[in-house]
Amino acid sequence: MRITQGTFSYLPDLTDEEIRAQIEYIIRNGWAVSIEYTDDPSPYNVYWNMWGLPMFDLEDAAAAMYEFQKCREAFPNHYIKINGYDPSPMWQAQRVSFIAHRPKNEPGFRLHRQLWSDGRRLKYILEPYATMTPEGERYQD
């Protein structure tokens, strides 16, 4: 199963040149670049681990690409995304986010159905198969 979160999620994986072009777009717009990673890509997990601090006032994509490469080397079996944060007064929000790296094997999710006590209401929960394995051991080759 392919996780589809963020911009470009339905496209084939981006090459390093295409990732660099997107970072250059973020910089041209005056946005801050940040890199995040996780081994639990559940749609409910909005708090990914941040790789370093957000990079404000970049003039060249090389610094962000360097940090992305270091993150990818440190976490080859994790999801890594790149964000563009707009600090302008009217926005102060994330304007772009895309998965730049993903593990080779993406096990996906299962839909868990729960019946409530009155027997009429159903509650559905998405459970990632990856979280059945302890953190740090997920997505091993």
Side-chain angles (χ1 to χ4, degrees):
M1 176 178 178
R2 184 175 171 85
I3 302 298
T4 54
Q5 296 178 20
T7 313
F8 315 124
S9 61
Y10 291 96
L11 296 176
D13 291 340
L14 299 177
T15 65
D16 283 357
E17 294 79 28
E18 292 169 332
I19 292 169
R20 177 184 290 276
Q22 293 305 316
I23 291 172
E24 289 170 354
Y25 173 79
I26 292 169
I27 292 169
R28 257 193 328 273
N29 282 290
W31 304 338
V33 178
S34 68
I35 300 169
E36 298 177 347
Y37 63 95
T38 189
D39 65 350
D40 177 15
S42 168
Y44 302 117
N45 178 17
V46 295
Y47 297 108
W48 290 29
N49 299 309
M50 186 171 283
W51 178 264
L53 296 172
M55 295 171 263
F56 290 88
D57 301 324
L58 285 181
E59 295 180 7
D60 185 15
M65 280 301 292
Y66 174 79
E67 292 299 328
F68 168 66
Q69 295 289 355
K70 288 298 181 185
C71 184
R72 186 163 50 186
E73 289 172 13
F75 300 103
N77 295 317
H78 284 59
Y79 290 87
I80 302 172
K81 70 179 174 179
I82 297 176
N83 306 308
Y85 176 81
D86 185 353
S88 62
M90 293 302 291
W91 283 94
Q92 296 183 355
Q94 189 171 296
R95 296 285 292 260
V96 67
S97 176
F98 62 95
I99 295 176
H101 178 79
R102 55 183 72 236
K104 293 176 187 167
N105 177 29
E106 296 183 77
F109 297 88
R110 75 181 181 121
L111 189 63
H112 181 71
R113 183 175 68 185
Q114 295 178 330
L115 288 172
W116 285 53
S117 61
D118 63 6
R120 292 178 179 218
R121 291 185 294 162
L122 293 175
K123 183 178 180 182
Y124 292 93
I125 300 171
L126 280 177
E127 295 178 343
Y129 291 117
T131 57
M132 293 178 180
T133 310
E135 190 171 344
E137 298 177 16
R138 302 171 186 164
Y139 305 108
Q140 297 298 321
D141 292 335

